[in-house]
Amino acid sequence: KQEVTQIPAALSVPEGENLVLNCSFTDSAIYNLQWFRQDPGKGLTSLLLIQSSQREQTSGRLNASLDKSSGRSTLYIAASQPGDSATYLCAVSHNDYKLSFGAGTTVTVRA
Amino acid sequence: SAVISQKPSRDICQRGTSLTIQCQVDSQVTMMFWYRQQPGQSLTLIATANQGSEATYESGFVIDKFPISRPNLTFSTLTVSNMSPEDSSIYLCSVNERAKGIQYFGAGTRLSVL
Protein backbone atom coordinates (compact mmCIF):
# COMPACT_ATOMS: atom_id res chain seq x y z
CA LYS A 1 0.00 0.00 0.00
CA GLN A 2 1.33 3.41 -0.98
CA GLU A 3 2.15 5.70 1.95
CA VAL A 4 2.68 9.42 1.29
CA THR A 5 4.27 11.64 3.93
CA GLN A 6 4.58 15.42 3.90
CA ILE A 7 6.98 17.38 6.05
CA PRO A 8 6.58 19.81 7.72
CA ALA A 9 2.90 19.66 8.71
CA ALA A 10 2.83 23.44 9.10
CA LEU A 11 5.05 26.31 8.08
CA SER A 12 4.94 30.03 8.84
CA VAL A 13 7.24 32.45 7.02
CA PRO A 14 7.51 36.19 6.45
CA GLU A 15 6.54 37.52 3.07
CA GLY A 16 9.31 37.27 0.49
CA GLU A 17 10.92 34.17 1.91
CA ASN A 18 11.23 31.05 -0.23
CA LEU A 19 9.17 28.00 0.71
CA VAL A 20 10.35 24.40 0.59
CA LEU A 21 7.75 21.65 0.99
CA ASN A 22 8.71 18.00 1.09
CA CYS A 23 6.85 14.87 0.05
CA SER A 24 7.98 11.25 0.29
CA PHE A 25 6.33 8.04 -0.90
CA THR A 26 7.03 4.39 -0.23
CA ASP A 27 6.26 2.74 -3.58
CA SER A 28 8.40 4.18 -6.37
CA ALA A 29 6.30 2.52 -9.13
CA ILE A 30 4.25 5.64 -9.70
CA TYR A 31 2.63 6.96 -12.87
CA ASN A 32 2.85 10.60 -11.88
CA LEU A 33 2.95 12.97 -8.92
CA GLN A 34 0.81 16.05 -8.47
CA TRP A 35 0.95 19.00 -6.14
CA PHE A 36 -2.36 20.57 -5.17
CA ARG A 37 -3.39 23.62 -3.28
CA GLN A 38 -6.42 23.57 -0.97
CA ASP A 39 -8.02 26.73 0.34
CA PRO A 40 -10.52 26.66 3.24
CA GLY A 41 -14.03 25.93 1.99
CA LYS A 42 -12.81 25.23 -1.51
CA GLY A 43 -11.79 22.21 -3.50
CA LEU A 44 -8.33 21.31 -4.72
CA THR A 45 -6.46 23.15 -7.42
CA SER A 46 -3.80 21.30 -9.37
CA LEU A 47 -0.52 23.25 -9.29
CA LEU A 48 2.00 21.00 -10.99
CA LEU A 49 2.02 17.53 -12.49
CA ILE A 50 5.27 15.59 -12.87
CA GLN A 51 5.25 12.45 -14.99
CA SER A 52 7.32 9.55 -13.67
CA SER A 53 9.87 10.05 -16.44
CA GLN A 54 10.42 13.71 -15.58
CA ARG A 55 12.74 15.27 -13.01
CA GLU A 56 11.01 18.60 -12.51
CA GLN A 57 8.25 20.96 -13.58
CA THR A 58 8.04 24.73 -13.32
CA SER A 59 5.16 27.17 -13.38
CA GLY A 60 5.84 30.78 -12.54
CA ARG A 61 7.20 30.97 -8.99
CA LEU A 62 6.59 27.26 -8.46
CA ASN A 63 9.08 24.50 -9.12
CA ALA A 64 8.61 20.84 -8.26
CA SER A 65 11.30 18.19 -8.43
CA LEU A 66 10.89 14.42 -8.47
CA ASP A 67 13.40 11.74 -7.50
CA LYS A 68 11.41 8.60 -8.16
CA SER A 69 14.13 6.17 -7.14
CA SER A 70 14.37 7.66 -3.66
CA GLY A 71 10.63 8.30 -3.41
CA ARG A 72 10.85 12.06 -2.92
CA SER A 73 9.44 15.26 -4.33
CA THR A 74 10.01 18.84 -3.31
CA LEU A 75 7.87 21.88 -4.07
CA TYR A 76 9.66 25.22 -4.09
CA ILE A 77 7.73 28.47 -3.97
CA ALA A 78 9.90 31.50 -4.61
CA ALA A 79 9.35 34.92 -3.03
CA SER A 80 6.28 33.92 -1.03
CA GLN A 81 3.25 36.19 -0.81
CA PRO A 82 0.33 36.28 1.65
CA GLY A 83 -1.86 34.88 -1.13
CA ASP A 84 0.25 31.71 -1.02
CA SER A 85 -1.23 30.88 2.39
CA ALA A 86 -3.05 27.56 1.95
CA THR A 87 -2.64 23.84 2.50
CA TYR A 88 -0.45 22.12 -0.07
CA LEU A 89 -1.09 18.47 -0.84
CA CYS A 90 1.13 15.98 -2.59
CA ALA A 91 -0.49 13.02 -4.36
CA VAL A 92 0.87 10.09 -6.34
CA SER A 93 -0.97 7.91 -8.82
CA HIS A 94 -0.43 4.57 -10.44
CA ASN A 95 -1.76 3.52 -13.82
CA ASP A 96 -5.34 3.34 -12.56
CA TYR A 97 -5.40 7.09 -11.89
CA LYS A 98 -6.35 6.67 -8.25
CA LEU A 99 -4.54 9.17 -6.07
CA SER A 100 -2.81 8.55 -2.74
CA PHE A 101 -2.52 11.78 -0.80
CA GLY A 102 -0.22 13.04 1.88
CA ALA A 103 -1.66 14.82 4.91
CA GLY A 104 -0.57 18.20 3.59
CA THR A 105 1.56 21.15 4.67
CA THR A 106 -0.34 24.20 5.91
CA VAL A 107 1.50 27.35 4.90
CA THR A 108 1.05 30.80 6.43
CA VAL A 109 2.82 33.73 4.82
CA ARG A 110 2.95 36.74 7.16
CA ALA A 111 2.70 40.20 5.63
CA SER B 1 -9.57 21.83 -18.09
CA ALA B 2 -12.65 20.15 -16.64
CA VAL B 3 -15.14 22.14 -14.60
CA ILE B 4 -16.88 20.19 -11.86
CA SER B 5 -19.99 21.32 -10.02
CA GLN B 6 -20.97 19.71 -6.75
CA LYS B 7 -24.22 20.07 -4.86
CA PRO B 8 -24.92 20.73 -2.07
CA SER B 9 -21.89 22.71 -0.97
CA ARG B 10 -22.66 22.00 2.66
CA ASP B 11 -25.35 20.41 4.78
CA ILE B 12 -26.17 19.65 8.38
CA CYS B 13 -27.98 16.35 8.84
CA GLN B 14 -29.48 14.32 11.61
CA ARG B 15 -28.14 10.96 12.68
CA GLY B 16 -29.77 8.07 10.83
CA THR B 17 -30.72 10.02 7.71
CA SER B 18 -29.16 9.89 4.23
CA LEU B 19 -27.73 12.56 1.96
CA THR B 20 -27.16 12.39 -1.78
CA ILE B 21 -24.36 14.47 -3.26
CA GLN B 22 -24.41 15.35 -6.95
CA CYS B 23 -21.41 15.84 -9.21
CA GLN B 24 -21.71 17.32 -12.71
CA VAL B 25 -18.80 17.61 -15.16
CA ASP B 26 -18.75 19.90 -18.19
CA SER B 27 -17.27 17.20 -20.44
CA GLN B 28 -17.64 13.46 -20.92
CA VAL B 29 -15.29 11.40 -18.79
CA THR B 30 -14.86 7.68 -18.38
CA MET B 31 -14.00 7.57 -14.69
CA MET B 32 -15.19 9.70 -11.82
CA PHE B 33 -13.77 9.41 -8.33
CA TRP B 34 -15.26 10.08 -4.91
CA TYR B 35 -13.00 11.08 -2.02
CA ARG B 36 -13.56 11.76 1.66
CA GLN B 37 -11.59 14.21 3.78
CA GLN B 38 -12.20 13.77 7.48
CA PRO B 39 -11.47 16.70 9.80
CA GLY B 40 -7.75 17.39 10.01
CA GLN B 41 -6.88 14.53 7.67
CA SER B 42 -6.02 14.10 4.04
CA LEU B 43 -8.14 12.74 1.24
CA THR B 44 -9.07 9.06 1.05
CA LEU B 45 -10.53 7.46 -2.06
CA ILE B 46 -13.98 5.99 -1.47
CA ALA B 47 -14.74 4.55 -4.91
CA THR B 48 -14.33 4.83 -8.65
CA ALA B 49 -17.54 5.35 -10.62
CA ASN B 50 -17.63 4.00 -14.17
CA GLN B 51 -20.51 4.62 -16.52
CA GLY B 52 -22.49 1.50 -17.25
CA SER B 53 -21.00 -0.67 -14.52
CA GLU B 54 -20.91 -1.03 -10.75
CA ALA B 55 -18.68 1.31 -8.84
CA THR B 56 -15.42 -0.07 -7.51
CA TYR B 57 -15.00 0.49 -3.78
CA GLU B 58 -11.76 0.83 -1.84
CA SER B 59 -10.97 -1.18 1.25
CA GLY B 60 -13.06 0.02 4.18
CA PHE B 61 -15.92 1.38 2.07
CA VAL B 62 -19.05 -0.59 1.13
CA ILE B 63 -21.88 -0.08 -1.31
CA ASP B 64 -24.60 -0.27 1.35
CA LYS B 65 -23.09 2.71 3.15
CA PHE B 66 -21.99 4.71 0.09
CA PRO B 67 -24.17 3.79 -2.90
CA ILE B 68 -23.04 5.45 -6.13
CA SER B 69 -24.87 6.08 -9.36
CA ARG B 70 -23.31 6.90 -12.75
CA PRO B 71 -26.16 7.26 -15.24
CA ASN B 72 -24.08 8.97 -17.96
CA LEU B 73 -20.60 10.25 -18.79
CA THR B 74 -21.06 13.66 -17.15
CA PHE B 75 -22.90 12.94 -13.91
CA SER B 76 -22.58 10.91 -10.72
CA THR B 77 -24.12 10.82 -7.27
CA LEU B 78 -22.78 9.58 -3.95
CA THR B 79 -25.20 8.81 -1.13
CA VAL B 80 -24.06 8.72 2.47
CA SER B 81 -26.54 6.38 4.14
CA ASN B 82 -27.67 5.98 7.74
CA MET B 83 -25.37 8.77 8.81
CA SER B 84 -23.57 9.03 12.13
CA PRO B 85 -21.36 11.84 13.49
CA GLU B 86 -18.32 9.89 12.22
CA ASP B 87 -19.49 10.63 8.67
CA SER B 88 -18.88 14.35 9.19
CA SER B 89 -16.37 15.12 6.46
CA ILE B 90 -15.81 16.90 3.20
CA TYR B 91 -16.80 14.74 0.23
CA LEU B 92 -15.20 15.56 -3.12
CA CYS B 93 -15.65 14.22 -6.60
CA SER B 94 -12.91 14.34 -9.18
CA VAL B 95 -12.14 13.41 -12.75
CA ASN B 96 -8.93 12.68 -14.56
CA GLU B 97 -8.00 14.32 -17.83
CA ARG B 98 -6.49 11.31 -19.52
CA ALA B 99 -4.45 13.17 -22.11
CA LYS B 100 -2.56 15.17 -19.50
CA GLY B 101 -3.06 13.05 -16.41
CA ILE B 102 -4.22 16.04 -14.40
CA GLN B 103 -6.88 15.42 -11.77
CA TYR B 104 -9.62 18.00 -11.30
CA PHE B 105 -11.76 18.34 -8.19
CA GLY B 106 -15.10 19.79 -7.33
CA ALA B 107 -15.36 22.32 -4.51
CA GLY B 108 -16.58 19.60 -2.16
CA THR B 109 -19.58 19.01 0.07
CA ARG B 110 -19.04 19.81 3.72
CA LEU B 111 -21.23 17.46 5.73
CA SER B 112 -21.93 17.77 9.45
CA VAL B 113 -23.93 15.04 11.19
CA LEU B 114 -25.53 15.83 14.54
Side-chain angles (χ1 to χ4, degrees):
Chain A
K1 180 189 173 187
Q2 179 74 269
E3 299 286 343
V4 182
T5 303
Q6 290 188 245
I7 295 173
L11 189 58
S12 179
V13 299
E15 182 176 4
E17 194 164 299
N18 297 331
L19 292 164
V20 180
L21 310 179
N22 297 298
C23 172
S24 62
F25 47 94
T26 54
D27 183 354
S28 63
I30 64 170
Y31 185 66
N32 62 39
L33 182 145
Q34 295 183 67
W35 283 94
F36 294 89
R37 168 181 173 143
Q38 184 175 31
D39 294 281
K42 297 184 180 180
L44 278 66
T45 302
S46 179
L47 297 174
L48 289 169
L49 169 75
I50 311 177
Q51 301 291 354
S52 61
S53 58
Q54 297 176 317
R55 297 284 293 183
E56 67 176 345
Q57 277 289 339
T58 298
S59 176
R61 294 184 294 111
L62 277 60
N63 173 276
S65 65
L66 174 64
D67 184 342
K68 200 175 86 161
S69 62
S70 67
R72 294 180 184 176
S73 176
T74 302
L75 177 66
Y76 301 90
I77 303 177
S80 62
Q81 304 168 357
D84 294 328
S85 297
T87 296
Y88 292 83
L89 298 170
C90 165
V92 298
S93 73
H94 301 273
N95 287 339
D96 55 7
Y97 303 105
K98 301 175 190 176
L99 295 180
S100 297
F101 282 85
T105 295
T106 299
V107 171
T108 302
V109 181
R110 308 185 303 272
Chain B
S1 64
V3 177
I4 302 173
S5 301
Q6 252 187 265
K7 291 193 293 187
S9 58
R10 59 177 60 229
D11 207 342
I12 301 173
C13 301
Q14 296 297 318
R15 181 194 300 260
T17 62
S18 298
L19 176 71
T20 295
I21 302 168
Q22 299 180 6
C23 180
Q24 179 78 51
V25 189
D26 68 344
S27 58
Q28 294 184 336
V29 293
T30 303
M31 292 187 289
M32 296 177 75
F33 305 91
W34 287 98
Y35 287 84
R36 179 177 74 180
Q37 186 175 30
Q38 293 178 298
Q41 300 188 27
S42 193
L43 282 77
T44 302
L45 180 65
I46 297 172
T48 303
N50 301 302
Q51 194 270 332
S53 64
E54 292 275 336
T56 304
Y57 290 83
E58 298 300 304
S59 175
F61 298 97
V62 295
I63 188 171
D64 289 346
K65 176 65 175 178
F66 298 102
I68 287 171
S69 78
R70 185 78 200 275
N72 57 53
L73 291 174
T74 63
F75 187 79
S76 178
T77 66
L78 169 75
T79 298
V80 186
S81 303
N82 188 26
M83 288 184 286
S84 66
E86 292 71 36
D87 294 320
S88 298
S89 299
I90 300 175
Y91 293 86
L92 301 103
C93 71
S94 77
V95 302
N96 180 275
E97 186 178 282
R98 272 190 174 263
K100 298 180 182 178
I102 298 174
Q103 200 99 346
Y104 298 98
F105 284 81
T109 296
R110 186 178 295 272
L111 171 62
S112 296
V113 184
L114 304 179

